[in-house]
Amino acid sequence: MILTESAPAKLNLALHLRRRRGDGYHDLATVFAFTQFGDSLSVAPSRELSLSVEGDFAEAAGQGRDNLVMRAARALAEAAGISEGAALRLEKRIPVAAGLGGGSADAAAALRLLNRFWGVDWSLAKLLALAEALGSDVPACVASQTCFGEGRGERLAAWPITLSGTPVLLVNPGVAVPTGPVFAGWDQIDRGGIPIGAGLQGLRNDMTAAAVGIAPVIAEVLDAIDRAGGATLVRMSGSGATCLGLYPDLASRRVAAAALASRGWWQAETALL
Ligand code: C5P
Protein backbone atom coordinates (compact mmCIF):
# COMPACT_ATOMS: atom_id res chain seq x y z
CA MET A 1 0.00 0.00 0.00
CA ILE A 2 1.39 3.39 -1.03
CA LEU A 3 -0.08 6.61 0.37
CA THR A 4 0.58 10.07 -1.04
CA GLU A 5 0.25 13.53 0.47
CA SER A 6 0.67 16.89 -1.24
CA ALA A 7 2.92 19.56 0.26
CA PRO A 8 1.51 22.91 -0.98
CA ALA A 9 3.97 25.78 -1.39
CA LYS A 10 3.58 28.47 1.30
CA LEU A 11 3.15 32.13 0.42
CA ASN A 12 3.25 35.20 2.63
CA LEU A 13 0.71 37.58 1.09
CA ALA A 14 1.92 40.08 3.71
CA LEU A 15 4.71 39.89 6.30
CA HIS A 16 5.15 42.62 8.90
CA LEU A 17 8.17 42.48 11.21
CA ARG A 18 7.56 43.80 14.70
CA ARG A 19 10.47 43.08 17.02
CA ARG A 20 13.78 41.23 17.28
CA ARG A 21 13.48 38.90 20.27
CA GLY A 22 16.08 37.74 22.74
CA ASP A 23 15.82 34.12 21.54
CA GLY A 24 17.09 34.87 18.02
CA TYR A 25 13.62 34.95 16.43
CA HIS A 26 11.47 37.86 15.31
CA ASP A 27 7.90 38.60 16.29
CA LEU A 28 5.95 39.10 13.11
CA ALA A 29 2.46 39.28 11.68
CA THR A 30 1.75 37.52 8.42
CA VAL A 31 -0.98 36.36 6.06
CA PHE A 32 -0.11 32.82 5.04
CA ALA A 33 -1.59 31.32 1.88
CA PHE A 34 -0.96 28.05 0.05
CA THR A 35 -0.96 27.03 -3.60
CA GLN A 36 -2.15 24.06 -5.63
CA PHE A 37 1.47 23.87 -6.79
CA GLY A 38 3.80 22.06 -4.42
CA ASP A 39 5.87 19.02 -3.57
CA SER A 40 4.50 15.53 -3.24
CA LEU A 41 5.41 12.98 -0.56
CA SER A 42 4.60 9.27 -0.73
CA VAL A 43 5.24 6.40 1.62
CA ALA A 44 5.53 2.62 1.29
CA PRO A 45 6.00 0.01 4.03
CA SER A 46 9.53 -0.58 5.27
CA ARG A 47 11.22 -1.74 8.45
CA GLU A 48 13.61 1.21 8.33
CA LEU A 49 12.88 4.90 8.06
CA SER A 50 14.30 6.18 4.75
CA LEU A 51 13.87 9.09 2.34
CA SER A 52 14.66 9.42 -1.34
CA VAL A 53 14.31 12.79 -3.03
CA GLU A 54 13.55 13.24 -6.73
CA GLY A 55 12.38 16.10 -8.92
CA ASP A 56 13.66 19.41 -10.24
CA PHE A 57 15.12 20.63 -6.93
CA ALA A 58 16.16 17.28 -5.41
CA GLU A 59 19.85 18.10 -5.32
CA ALA A 60 19.39 21.44 -3.55
CA ALA A 61 17.01 19.86 -1.00
CA GLY A 62 19.46 17.18 0.14
CA GLN A 63 18.84 13.49 0.72
CA GLY A 64 20.19 13.01 4.20
CA ARG A 65 18.93 12.40 7.68
CA ASP A 66 18.88 16.15 8.26
CA ASN A 67 16.14 16.69 5.70
CA LEU A 68 13.18 18.20 7.61
CA VAL A 69 11.00 15.30 6.39
CA MET A 70 13.18 12.85 8.31
CA ARG A 71 13.18 15.07 11.40
CA ALA A 72 9.37 15.26 11.24
CA ALA A 73 9.09 11.48 10.82
CA ARG A 74 11.39 10.79 13.76
CA ALA A 75 9.55 13.34 15.93
CA LEU A 76 6.16 11.72 15.23
CA ALA A 77 7.48 8.17 15.69
CA GLU A 78 8.99 9.12 19.02
CA ALA A 79 5.97 11.07 20.30
CA ALA A 80 3.48 8.37 19.27
CA GLY A 81 5.66 5.38 20.26
CA ILE A 82 5.93 3.96 16.72
CA SER A 83 8.71 1.45 16.05
CA GLU A 84 7.75 0.72 12.42
CA GLY A 85 9.73 2.30 9.60
CA ALA A 86 8.57 3.98 6.39
CA ALA A 87 10.07 4.33 2.91
CA LEU A 88 9.41 7.97 2.03
CA ARG A 89 9.77 9.44 -1.46
CA LEU A 90 9.71 13.20 -1.97
CA GLU A 91 9.05 14.80 -5.35
CA LYS A 92 10.77 18.18 -4.94
CA ARG A 93 9.22 20.79 -7.23
CA ILE A 94 9.36 23.82 -4.90
CA PRO A 95 12.60 25.82 -5.26
CA VAL A 96 14.81 25.66 -2.17
CA ALA A 97 15.65 28.73 0.00
CA ALA A 98 13.05 30.60 -2.03
CA GLY A 99 10.55 32.05 0.46
CA LEU A 100 8.04 29.32 -0.42
CA GLY A 101 8.45 27.29 2.78
CA GLY A 102 9.41 24.16 0.84
CA GLY A 103 11.14 22.38 3.71
CA SER A 104 8.33 23.36 6.11
CA ALA A 105 5.66 22.17 3.65
CA ASP A 106 7.46 18.82 3.30
CA ALA A 107 7.77 18.40 7.08
CA ALA A 108 4.07 19.19 7.56
CA ALA A 109 3.16 16.74 4.77
CA ALA A 110 5.28 14.08 6.50
CA LEU A 111 3.34 14.61 9.74
CA ARG A 112 -0.04 14.32 7.98
CA LEU A 113 1.05 11.36 5.84
CA LEU A 114 2.66 9.27 8.59
CA ASN A 115 -0.19 10.13 10.96
CA ARG A 116 -2.39 8.18 8.49
CA PHE A 117 0.16 5.57 7.40
CA TRP A 118 1.12 4.51 10.93
CA GLY A 119 -2.49 4.73 12.13
CA VAL A 120 -1.50 7.30 14.76
CA ASP A 121 -4.71 9.17 14.01
CA TRP A 122 -3.92 12.37 15.89
CA SER A 123 -6.02 15.49 15.24
CA LEU A 124 -4.42 18.36 13.31
CA ALA A 125 -4.39 20.32 16.59
CA LYS A 126 -2.26 17.63 18.23
CA LEU A 127 0.14 17.54 15.25
CA LEU A 128 0.63 21.32 15.64
CA ALA A 129 2.59 20.88 18.86
CA LEU A 130 5.14 18.68 17.04
CA ALA A 131 5.12 21.04 14.05
CA GLU A 132 6.14 24.03 16.15
CA ALA A 133 9.41 22.38 17.19
CA LEU A 134 10.31 21.70 13.53
CA GLY A 135 10.18 25.32 12.35
CA SER A 136 8.26 28.58 12.50
CA ASP A 137 6.28 27.95 9.28
CA VAL A 138 5.53 24.27 9.89
CA PRO A 139 2.32 24.78 11.97
CA ALA A 140 0.78 26.92 9.20
CA CYS A 141 1.81 24.28 6.66
CA VAL A 142 0.07 21.52 8.66
CA ALA A 143 -3.31 23.14 7.94
CA SER A 144 -2.23 24.57 4.53
CA GLN A 145 -5.08 27.08 4.47
CA THR A 146 -5.02 30.85 4.20
CA CYS A 147 -4.57 32.09 7.76
CA PHE A 148 -3.14 34.83 9.94
CA GLY A 149 0.09 34.14 11.83
CA GLU A 150 1.70 35.92 14.79
CA GLY A 151 4.53 35.29 17.22
CA ARG A 152 7.35 33.73 15.20
CA GLY A 153 4.62 32.52 12.81
CA GLU A 154 3.30 29.67 14.95
CA ARG A 155 0.31 31.44 16.57
CA LEU A 156 -2.45 31.01 13.99
CA ALA A 157 -5.89 32.50 13.54
CA ALA A 158 -8.49 32.39 10.77
CA TRP A 159 -8.29 34.93 7.95
CA PRO A 160 -11.85 36.06 7.30
CA ILE A 161 -11.54 36.75 3.56
CA THR A 162 -11.83 33.80 1.16
CA LEU A 163 -9.08 33.78 -1.44
CA SER A 164 -9.45 30.15 -2.56
CA GLY A 165 -9.12 29.73 -6.33
CA THR A 166 -7.32 33.06 -6.87
CA PRO A 167 -4.91 32.65 -9.83
CA VAL A 168 -1.25 33.10 -8.83
CA LEU A 169 1.97 33.49 -10.76
CA LEU A 170 5.20 32.63 -8.93
CA VAL A 171 8.51 33.95 -10.26
CA ASN A 172 11.94 33.08 -8.88
CA PRO A 173 15.14 34.45 -10.42
CA GLY A 174 17.20 31.41 -9.41
CA VAL A 175 19.09 33.00 -6.54
CA ALA A 176 18.91 31.07 -3.26
CA VAL A 177 18.35 33.54 -0.39
CA PRO A 178 19.09 32.23 3.13
CA THR A 179 16.46 33.31 5.68
CA GLY A 180 18.74 34.24 8.60
CA PRO A 181 20.71 37.02 6.86
CA VAL A 182 17.49 38.62 5.54
CA PHE A 183 16.05 38.82 9.07
CA ALA A 184 19.41 40.19 10.24
CA GLY A 185 19.27 42.89 7.55
CA TRP A 186 15.91 44.30 8.71
CA ASP A 187 16.24 47.94 9.84
CA GLN A 188 14.29 47.08 13.04
CA ILE A 189 11.69 49.75 12.48
CA ASP A 190 8.25 48.46 13.52
CA ARG A 191 5.90 49.76 10.82
CA GLY A 192 2.81 48.29 12.46
CA GLY A 193 0.85 45.05 12.59
CA ILE A 194 -1.85 43.54 10.41
CA PRO A 195 -5.48 44.15 11.37
CA ILE A 196 -7.35 40.86 10.80
CA GLY A 197 -9.19 41.08 7.49
CA ALA A 198 -7.26 44.14 6.24
CA GLY A 199 -7.02 44.73 2.48
CA LEU A 200 -3.84 43.06 1.20
CA GLN A 201 -2.88 45.99 -1.05
CA GLY A 202 -2.33 48.19 1.97
CA LEU A 203 -0.01 45.67 3.62
CA ARG A 204 3.72 44.95 3.02
CA ASN A 205 6.53 42.48 3.14
CA ASP A 206 8.98 44.13 5.54
CA MET A 207 11.76 41.76 4.46
CA THR A 208 11.83 43.09 0.91
CA ALA A 209 14.49 45.80 1.38
CA ALA A 210 16.89 43.45 3.19
CA ALA A 211 16.33 40.69 0.61
CA VAL A 212 16.93 43.12 -2.27
CA GLY A 213 20.14 44.16 -0.50
CA ILE A 214 21.32 40.52 -0.68
CA ALA A 215 19.84 39.71 -4.09
CA PRO A 216 19.23 42.92 -6.10
CA VAL A 217 17.54 40.95 -8.89
CA ILE A 218 14.46 40.69 -6.61
CA ALA A 219 13.70 44.36 -7.34
CA GLU A 220 13.83 43.53 -11.04
CA VAL A 221 11.44 40.60 -10.57
CA LEU A 222 8.90 42.74 -8.66
CA ASP A 223 9.14 45.44 -11.32
CA ALA A 224 8.79 42.93 -14.16
CA ILE A 225 5.63 41.36 -12.65
CA ASP A 226 4.22 44.85 -12.15
CA ARG A 227 4.97 45.88 -15.73
CA ALA A 228 3.55 42.65 -17.17
CA GLY A 229 0.22 44.03 -15.91
CA GLY A 230 -3.07 42.60 -14.67
CA ALA A 231 -2.00 41.73 -11.11
CA THR A 232 -4.15 42.82 -8.18
CA LEU A 233 -1.18 42.22 -5.85
CA VAL A 234 2.58 41.97 -6.49
CA ARG A 235 4.76 40.97 -3.54
CA MET A 236 7.84 39.06 -2.44
CA SER A 237 7.07 35.91 -0.41
CA GLY A 238 8.83 35.20 2.89
CA SER A 239 12.50 36.16 2.81
CA GLY A 240 12.56 35.85 -1.00
CA ALA A 241 13.61 35.52 -3.67
CA THR A 242 10.27 34.24 -5.03
CA CYS A 243 7.78 36.98 -5.89
CA LEU A 244 4.11 36.48 -6.59
CA GLY A 245 1.35 38.09 -8.59
CA LEU A 246 -2.34 37.54 -7.78
CA TYR A 247 -4.76 37.85 -10.70
CA PRO A 248 -8.50 38.33 -11.07
CA ASP A 249 -8.76 35.58 -13.70
CA LEU A 250 -6.78 32.88 -15.53
CA ALA A 251 -6.49 34.91 -18.73
CA SER A 252 -4.66 37.80 -17.06
CA ARG A 253 -2.32 35.38 -15.27
CA ARG A 254 -1.52 33.68 -18.60
CA VAL A 255 -0.81 37.01 -20.30
CA ALA A 256 1.58 38.02 -17.51
CA ALA A 257 3.33 34.62 -17.52
CA ALA A 258 3.81 34.82 -21.29
CA ALA A 259 5.18 38.35 -21.05
CA LEU A 260 7.71 37.26 -18.39
CA ALA A 261 8.77 33.98 -20.03
CA SER A 262 11.60 35.57 -22.04
CA ARG A 263 13.41 36.48 -18.79
CA GLY A 264 14.38 32.85 -18.28
CA TRP A 265 13.36 32.91 -14.61
CA TRP A 266 11.66 29.95 -12.91
CA GLN A 267 7.87 30.41 -13.06
CA ALA A 268 4.83 28.50 -11.84
CA GLU A 269 1.24 29.26 -12.82
CA THR A 270 -1.06 28.07 -10.07
CA ALA A 271 -3.93 29.11 -7.78
CA LEU A 272 -4.50 29.60 -4.05
CA LEU A 273 -5.97 26.69 -2.11
O1 C5P B 1 11.94 28.58 12.58
P1 C5P B 1 12.89 28.33 11.47
O2 C5P B 1 13.89 27.26 11.79
O3 C5P B 1 12.22 28.08 10.16
O4 C5P B 1 13.71 29.68 11.28
C1 C5P B 1 14.90 29.76 10.56
C2 C5P B 1 15.64 31.03 10.96
O5 C5P B 1 14.92 32.18 10.52
C3 C5P B 1 15.82 31.22 12.46
O6 C5P B 1 16.99 30.61 12.92
C4 C5P B 1 15.87 32.71 12.60
O7 C5P B 1 17.16 33.19 12.28
C5 C5P B 1 14.95 33.19 11.50
N1 C5P B 1 13.60 33.49 11.97
C6 C5P B 1 13.38 34.63 12.73
N2 C5P B 1 12.11 34.95 13.13
C7 C5P B 1 11.06 34.17 12.79
C8 C5P B 1 11.27 33.00 12.02
C9 C5P B 1 12.54 32.70 11.62
O8 C5P B 1 14.32 35.36 13.04
N3 C5P B 1 9.84 34.54 13.18
Side-chain angles (χ1 to χ4, degrees), residues 99-265:
L100 296 175
S104 305
D106 299 341
L111 293 178
R112 291 191 303 266
L113 179 65
L114 293 172
N115 188 44
R116 281 196 283 149
F117 181 74
W118 284 332
V120 174
D121 220 17
W122 282 2
S123 65
L124 279 191
K126 199 163 171 191
L127 290 176
L128 287 181
L130 282 184
E132 207 177 309
L134 293 166
S136 304
D137 285 348
V138 183
C141 290
V142 166
S144 283
Q145 288 172 351
T146 302
C147 64
F148 175 68
E150 265 187 323
R152 64 182 175 98
E154 87 287 14
R155 283 212 321 268
L156 304 175
W159 187 255
I161 297 156
T162 304
L163 299 166
S164 182
T166 303
V168 190
L169 177 64
L170 303 176
V171 184
N172 182 293
V175 184
V177 177
T179 304
V182 178
F183 273 109
W186 174 48
D187 62 11
Q188 295 197 54
I189 296 170
D190 177 6
R191 294 172 174 83
I194 297 179
I196 301 247
L200 295 171
Q201 281 84 358
L203 305 177
R204 319 171 296 274
N205 182 337
D206 286 335
M207 295 177 98
T208 309
V212 167
I214 290 169
V217 67
I218 292 169
E220 243 183 273
V221 175
L222 288 167
D223 185 54
I225 300 174
D226 217 16
R227 283 164 186 264
T232 55
L233 186 81
V234 179
R235 193 150 287 158
M236 188 181 84
S237 182
S239 54
T242 307
C243 300
L244 63 96
L246 298 187
Y247 296 87
D249 49 58
L250 293 176
S252 50
R253 185 195 68 198
R254 283 198 198 108
V255 167
L260 287 160
S262 65
R263 308 298 296 246
W265 293 327

